[in-house]
Amino acid sequence: MASDRESLLDNYFKAIGMLVVAHTDLEGAMKAFANIMINQHEKTGEILTADLPFQPLKDKLVSLYCHFESDPEKSSRFRKLIEKASDLTGRRNEIIHSRWLLGPHSASKAAPIRLKATARMRGYRLEAERVELDGVKGIRTLIREIDATAMEIMETRAYWESDHPNRNK
């Protein structure tokens, strides 16, 4: 029988796994969107985006969208949507690339501590914070909402139809 502490950590690890899947879905949707704008009938877009990490993918997708979208307000909204996705990706990365600990004397219901050590340009740094399970789930929910919004935009098909004024530029 699992202890309360093990059950608590299991809930966190399950939520983290679901967060990873949600983010992977978002990346897939972004790649599909870029693929359609690049070339809707061939694998060119898939070849160009298949191995792109999130940050370069985000930059290219925004550039493509702004190229095909002549309405500055729509471009601005899309840019903000993708920046929100980028912010959530940063938080997701903090969560999935951390160690998760419960102290030996922690109450069984206490949130675990996220530990992340870095040693980049600024020297050694250790981040430690308690992260509530709802916080992890909340990031996943926000990523899912962005994914759904991006899919709605993609489905309008107004930006990559062959008769769109910027299609052959």
Side-chain angles (χ1 to χ4, degrees):
M1 182 170 139
S3 71
D4 287 344
R5 290 166 42 102
E6 289 172 336
S7 294
L8 180 65
L9 284 175
D10 284 348
N11 287 336
Y12 271 83
F13 297 151
K14 180 180 176 184
I16 291 168
M18 293 169 71
L19 170 60
V20 169
V21 170
H23 190 268
T24 299
D25 289 347
L26 174 61
E27 278 188 290
M30 291 171 66
K31 287 178 182 182
F33 197 179
N35 295 340
I36 290 169
M37 285 189 285
I38 292 169
N39 191 333
Q40 69 187 65
H41 300 295
E42 295 181 21
K43 298 284 182 196
T44 308
E46 290 178 36
I47 292 166
L48 293 174
T49 62
D51 298 325
L52 278 180
F54 185 84
Q55 196 63 34
L57 172 62
K58 173 196 78 121
D59 295 343
K60 299 302 179 198
L61 179 60
V62 170
S63 293
L64 283 167
Y65 185 91
C66 291
H67 174 73
F68 288 115
E69 178 52 68
S70 56
D71 182 341
E73 187 175 312
K74 287 182 181 177
S75 291
S76 177
R77 280 196 312 255
F78 187 75
R79 212 180 255 110
K80 288 176 186 172
L81 177 73
I82 298 302
E83 281 306 315
K84 185 176 178 184
S86 184
D87 293 345
L88 290 169
T89 296
R91 187 65 180 139
R92 168 234 180 228
N93 288 345
E94 290 174 356
I95 288 170
I96 70 167
H97 297 293
S98 294
R99 294 184 62 207
W100 291 85
L101 305 172
L102 279 178
H105 304 293
S106 296
S108 62
K109 302 285 184 194
I113 296 171
R114 180 189 72 80
L115 291 175
K116 176 67 176 163
T118 58
R120 296 206 177 146
M121 303 281 206
R122 293 175 271 159
Y124 180 78
R125 194 175 83 209
L126 179 66
E127 295 176 11
E129 68 172 326
R130 284 208 185 275
V131 178
E132 296 295 331
L133 185 56
D134 287 344
V136 176
K137 290 178 178 179
I139 294 167
R140 175 182 170 258
T141 299
L142 291 171
I143 287 173
R144 286 278 189 222
E145 289 171 5
I146 291 170
D147 186 19
T149 302
M151 292 303 289
E152 288 173 16
I153 293 169
M154 186 172 75
E155 288 171 359
T156 64
R157 300 177 100 52
Y159 311 105
W160 44 84
E161 294 293 339
S162 58
D163 61 342
H164 191 278
N166 290 342
R167 179 74 189 140
N168 296 313
K169 286 187 179 179

